[in-house]
Amino acid sequence: MLPDPSYPAPSIAFALGRPVGTAVVRNRIRRQMRELMRAHEADFAPGLYLFGVSARGGDVPGFLDLRRAFHTLSARSR
């Protein structure tokens, strides 16, 4: 995270390489992560955020598990 008060809201980017899975898998994870960010945008200070997904990220079985991992990571950023 790079805090920057000149941003009106958090600016989010996701890094998912080919080892994560096929394009379908990567896009599904990206859509789910965008939805999590929309729901929790108020929890993040204005600034730049980059979320990377490791090769094992494609093995996350469902949205609830992804949400749990997201909450763990977002708690670390505060």
Side-chain angles (χ1 to χ4, degrees):
M1 179 197 117
L2 295 173
D4 188 345
S6 67
Y7 280 83
S11 181
I12 314 301
F14 304 105
L16 291 90
R18 285 189 178 160
V20 173
T22 64
V24 172
V25 170
R26 293 191 310 268
N27 288 333
R28 176 182 46 84
I29 292 171
R30 205 174 280 121
R31 283 191 307 272
Q32 290 174 338
M33 291 182 72
R34 274 197 304 263
E35 183 57 34
L36 287 169
M37 283 308 301
R38 279 187 204 106
H40 298 283
E41 186 174 3
D43 297 340
F44 290 87
L48 302 171
Y49 293 84
L50 173 64
F51 289 92
V53 178
S54 70
R56 291 183 7 195
D59 297 336
V60 174
F63 184 70
L64 294 177
D65 294 317
L66 182 63
R67 186 172 68 179
R68 195 173 305 121
F70 179 84
H71 285 294
T72 301
L73 289 173
S74 65
R76 289 182 193 172
S77 72
R78 295 181 206 154

